[in-house]
Amino acid sequence: MKFNFKFSNLCGTVYRQGNVLFTPDGNTVLSPVGNRISTLDLVNHKSRTMAFENRHNIARLALSPCGSSLISVDEKGGALLVNFHKRVVLCQFKFKTEVKDLQFSPDSRLIAVSAGQHLQIWKAPPLITQFRPFHLVRTMTGHYDDITCIAWSPDSKFVLTGSRDMTCRLYAVDRIKGFIPITITAHKNHIVGVFFRSNLEPDMECAMYSVSKDGTLCTWKFEFHTTAEIEEKRYGIERSRKRRRDMDPVDVKAHWMARSNIVLVKKHFFLADHHAEVTSVKLHSTKESELLVVGFETGVFSLYEMPDFNLVHTLTISQKRINTIAINPSGEWLAFGAAKLGQLLVWEWQSETYILKQQGHFFDMNTIAYSPDGQLIATGGDDGKVKLWNAETGFCFVTFKDHTGPVNQVVFSPKGNVVVSSSLDGTVRAFDLVRYRNFRTFTSPTPLQFTCLAIDNSGEMVVAGSLDPFEIYLWSLRTARILDVLSGHTGPVSSVCFNPAHPFLVSSSWDATVRIWDVYSRKAAVETLKHSADVLALAVRPDGDQVCSSDLTGQLYFWDPQDGTLQGTIEGRKDIMGGRRRDDARAAKNATHSLAFTSLCYSSDGKCILAGGNSKYVCIYQVQQRVLLKRFEITNNLSLDGILTYLNSRNMTEAGPLALIDDVDSSSDKEDRKDNSLPGAKRSDFSDRKTPLVARTKCVKFSPDGRQWAAASTEGLLIYSVDETLFFDPNDLDMEVTPSNCQVLMEGKEFAKALVMALRLNEKKVLEKVCGEIPVNQIPIVVASLPMQYMERILTLLAEALRESPHLQFYLTWIQCIMTQHGSALRKHSMRMLSTLRAVQKSLREHYERIAAVCHDNYFTLGFLTKRIKMVKDSKLKES
């Protein structure tokens, strides 16, 4: 099995906080997800998350107008400079204060940064590795509170800022003689957005816009004496005319802007229509048209045509406030982000249709499950929803909202056409993946809460364990009737699993036992496997000959289910040990929490086991040798608890940890200032979260083909895949096994020897070249002489080539010959080669679905054409 897994994608979360951006081509949306950045391709319908991480949650993104440089700034002012095309971090930088806004200049030379009450102008760093790429050009002052928004003039000569002190200020980037920054005052609440018009001219009636939180839109213009009057008064007639002739047109525009006064033209009010505060605003300005998009705290957005302030349409897209708005360069698509619900939507306003509508789990994600072919991933969360995700695109395509309580486990049926989920609301529900509906609901005679779930190998029986009473219920999937109730545990049932090869049901409980039930016979025999502490998780090996369990002591136990003997243990307390909590007065190595595994999963070949728990680590162990193969750190986000390892005594005060003291009055909204405490109660509302989320893993699963694994973590659904570019595993090498000798054998038409030599070398490029150059008529002969020991490698290569190559018939011929001539041997070694065979099945299924869709379209098109021809002939006969 390969272990070169690397981070591949983050699903289950599409937006957390900060601003979203469109790329210059307008086809991709950039969305901050915790301390990572997700790219959502709206044309190819794919979502990918970049591998690099900020130290804290991302608060601001900025992309250069050319689309090459990306800067991400976190909550503490830490910034990353990224080459966006290559997805490579060039440098790290630390702003010394919180950054509210960050904007590239239109010419991509400068960057404007809001550093508290100050405006900083930085030189845009180049896309090469330097010691100090960030260079501060100027620092401008004048505001009395934090700057909230920034706008550049089209010529990159001026910067307009809005602040919480209810004023706007116009700054000149370069020092202009006689120019003093202009303060604009007309608002009665802090500024949400400021904008320049794209085509500034001296005689424009409207040059700038400013929007405040109370729903006031102010339009401004430049009022000035003519440039000739100013110049002639200061320098004389002849000298002023010569200055204007020698001046660049861009400098001329900056010259009259610097000599002008800013005058209020008109005020418009949004509250007359919505009676809600403005939370976000965005302007799209071109020479042809101007669109202003305004988002409100009620989840409503309005689209206005400027400068006439004509309402185009209004739409409710969320139940919570809209935190960010983005418009693509063509002005056709609008992107919205709602942080409290984790929603990301892309709306095409002309056709009034959704281009993208995604939402993650509102609360924690509790469980995940792969479909048998590995193409789908089902997740369940504390919000009571069951979501289905496409493992290839990373998008959610269906959501089931039938549960009224947290979902704690989901499983697929063996055929993959049914998803079953258990919940704390006391129900187990089965969902049809053809019609996408809840077609079965399983309940118990008395109300209780279900904690775990399993389906037998035939897909006919559903089993669920309960929290209290400590019983296991068995239902028929077809009739939804209770078949049996298993009693014997003296504590809550934590996990249930069916044995894939033997007619047994295995269950674990907090009563420190694992029980093996014979549910198919009338004897109802029970085998009890005792542990030293509460059993938290359970897994059965794919061949059914081993059971693994974990308890509160952090140990992994390996049992033989046939005779109930203990085969070995693994001490995992030190492996799963995570970081310290912020309220801990000790280092991580002395902490007592998160020292046990809460989720286990065997690999498809049964050689390894994946284990995760309430920490930032996920471990892979080798079962036979009982050793740790690799430990993955799922996140480095310091905004989460349980990341830091060492104790810093400087952050400990008499009032408690410094990180838990709220010394900033950030509750500026009425919704945040609302007092939910009961009359006479001394304590506040316990539902008001004041502590950060804890980094942990609630569920881990291997994919059926073994090429990736997924973890349901605090940040979402993390997917790790095998990195093929870093894998090289030669076999039986000697002096003659070289790529040049493979080429010589191919030229001599000794195809079988050349293929065996390439398989011994096991270099991907050489294997692809040799397989691709073998003639079609020689494939049966080569396959017949191929040893069985190389069959797994050649099938892995064919599965990947079948998925990526356009030569479909060629590689289907390879697979057909292998299955025909080596089918019996493959059946004997099916468990060892299970992951490879599933990869082949997945590739074949993808092509089958694509070809079937094309055939169906052609079938109905031909039917329509034949009927049309018949109708034309009949009409001609009637006319004649």
Side-chain angles (χ1 to χ4, degrees), residues 595-837:
L595 297 180
F597 297 105
T598 59
S599 180
L600 301 173
C601 181
Y602 273 97
S603 60
S604 56
D605 57 4
K607 296 181 180 179
C608 302
I609 191 165
L610 187 68
N614 294 327
S615 78
K616 61 179 180 178
Y617 293 111
V618 174
C619 305
I620 294 183
Y621 292 96
Q622 213 281 342
V623 175
Q624 186 175 2
Q625 302 296 328
R626 314 281 195 269
V627 295
L628 176 67
L629 294 177
K630 197 168 184 179
R631 188 169 69 162
F632 297 90
E633 188 174 4
I634 59 174
T635 182
N636 290 313
N637 190 359
L638 295 179
S639 297
L640 302 177
D641 215 348
I643 299 296
L644 294 175
T645 304
Y646 300 104
L647 175 65
N648 190 349
S649 58
R650 291 181 298 179
N651 295 330
M652 304 298 292
T653 63
E654 295 180 355
L658 192 61
L660 299 181
I661 299 177
D662 187 11
D663 56 352
V664 179
D665 185 16
S666 59
S667 301
S668 60
D669 299 325
K670 293 180 181 179
E671 183 180 339
D672 297 331
R673 295 198 306 267
K674 188 183 297 182
D675 185 11
N676 295 320
S677 60
L678 295 174
K682 294 183 179 180
R683 296 180 181 272
S684 60
D685 183 15
F686 285 101
S687 66
D688 186 14
R689 186 186 295 276
K690 294 295 183 182
T691 56
L693 297 172
V694 181
R696 57 185 174 183
T697 303
K698 288 192 173 183
C699 185
V700 291
K701 292 291 182 182
F702 267 110
S703 64
D705 58 1
R707 302 182 65 83
Q708 66 180 15
W709 59 269
S713 68
T714 307
E715 293 192 318
L717 177 60
L718 299 172
I719 299 177
Y720 286 75
S721 301
V722 173
D723 185 9
E724 292 289 350
T725 59
L726 303 177
F727 183 72
F728 175 67
D729 184 20
N731 184 39
D732 296 335
L733 284 182
D734 54 35
M735 296 297 293
E736 297 180 354
V737 181
T738 60
S740 58
N741 288 341
C742 287
Q743 185 63 31
V744 171
L745 292 174
M746 290 297 295
E747 293 175 356
K749 297 184 179 182
E750 299 183 24
F751 304 115
K753 293 183 179 180
L755 181 58
V756 171
M757 185 176 290
L759 289 168
R760 292 173 62 187
L761 187 63
N762 203 17
E763 191 172 348
K764 185 177 179 181
K765 293 183 179 179
V766 178
L767 265 172
E768 291 178 350
K769 185 178 179 181
V770 171
C771 287
E773 293 181 356
I774 296 177
V776 178
N777 57 354
Q778 295 292 323
I779 291 177
I781 302 174
V782 173
V783 170
S785 60
L786 194 64
M788 187 60 194
Q789 60 183 0
Y790 301 121
M791 202 59 60
E792 185 174 2
R793 299 184 186 181
I794 191 65
L795 283 175
T796 303
L797 175 70
L798 293 174
E800 184 176 353
L802 188 64
R803 187 169 59 251
E804 298 176 355
S805 176
H807 306 293
L808 180 60
Q809 183 179 358
F810 179 77
Y811 289 108
L812 285 177
T813 305
W814 271 97
I815 294 175
Q816 183 183 10
C817 293
I818 291 175
M819 296 300 174
T820 303
Q821 301 186 24
H822 299 276
S824 58
L826 291 174
R827 186 175 301 171
K828 292 180 181 179
H829 303 281
S830 59
M831 295 304 300
R832 180 175 60 85
M833 301 175 60
L834 186 61
S835 61
T836 303
L837 295 174

Side-chain angles (χ1 to χ4, degrees), residues 480-498:
R481 294 182 179 179
I482 295 180
L483 301 178
D484 198 359
V485 179
L486 305 179
S487 302
H489 283 296
T490 59
V493 181
S494 58
S495 182
V496 289
C497 293
F498 275 98

Side-chain angles (χ1 to χ4, degrees), residues 144-263:
Y144 295 96
D145 208 336
D146 292 343
I147 297 174
T148 57
C149 48
I150 299 172
W152 283 89
S153 62
D155 57 1
S156 303
K157 297 291 183 180
F158 293 88
V159 179
L160 182 63
T161 61
S163 172
R164 293 177 65 91
D165 61 5
M166 298 177 288
T167 64
C168 303
R169 286 181 68 87
L170 181 67
Y171 297 95
V173 176
D174 300 323
R175 287 179 172 84
I176 301 176
K177 188 175 181 180
F179 175 77
I180 299 175
I182 304 173
T183 302
I184 309 171
T185 58
H187 293 280
K188 297 181 180 179
N189 207 327
H190 74 256
I191 311 301
V192 178
V194 290
F195 308 99
F196 279 99
R197 297 190 68 180
S198 61
N199 49 345
L200 285 179
E201 296 297 338
D203 57 347
M204 291 184 68
E205 287 297 326
C206 177
M208 298 180 299
Y209 303 102
S210 61
V211 182
S212 60
K213 190 174 181 180
D214 58 0
T216 304
L217 168 66
C218 294
T219 59
W220 309 88
K221 74 173 182 177
F222 291 97
E223 186 180 73
F224 60 100
H225 299 289
T226 62
T227 308
E229 292 178 358
I230 298 174
E231 295 290 341
E232 289 170 5
K233 185 176 180 181
R234 177 169 297 184
Y235 302 108
I237 297 175
E238 297 297 332
R239 187 179 174 188
S240 63
R241 290 177 179 175
K242 183 177 184 303
R243 283 173 56 87
R244 291 197 300 273
R245 286 196 303 266
D246 298 338
M247 195 178 296
D248 186 77
V250 177
D251 295 333
V252 171
K253 185 179 293 186
H255 190 69
W256 67 258
M257 289 178 63
R259 300 294 188 268
S260 304
N261 293 325
I262 300 178
V263 179

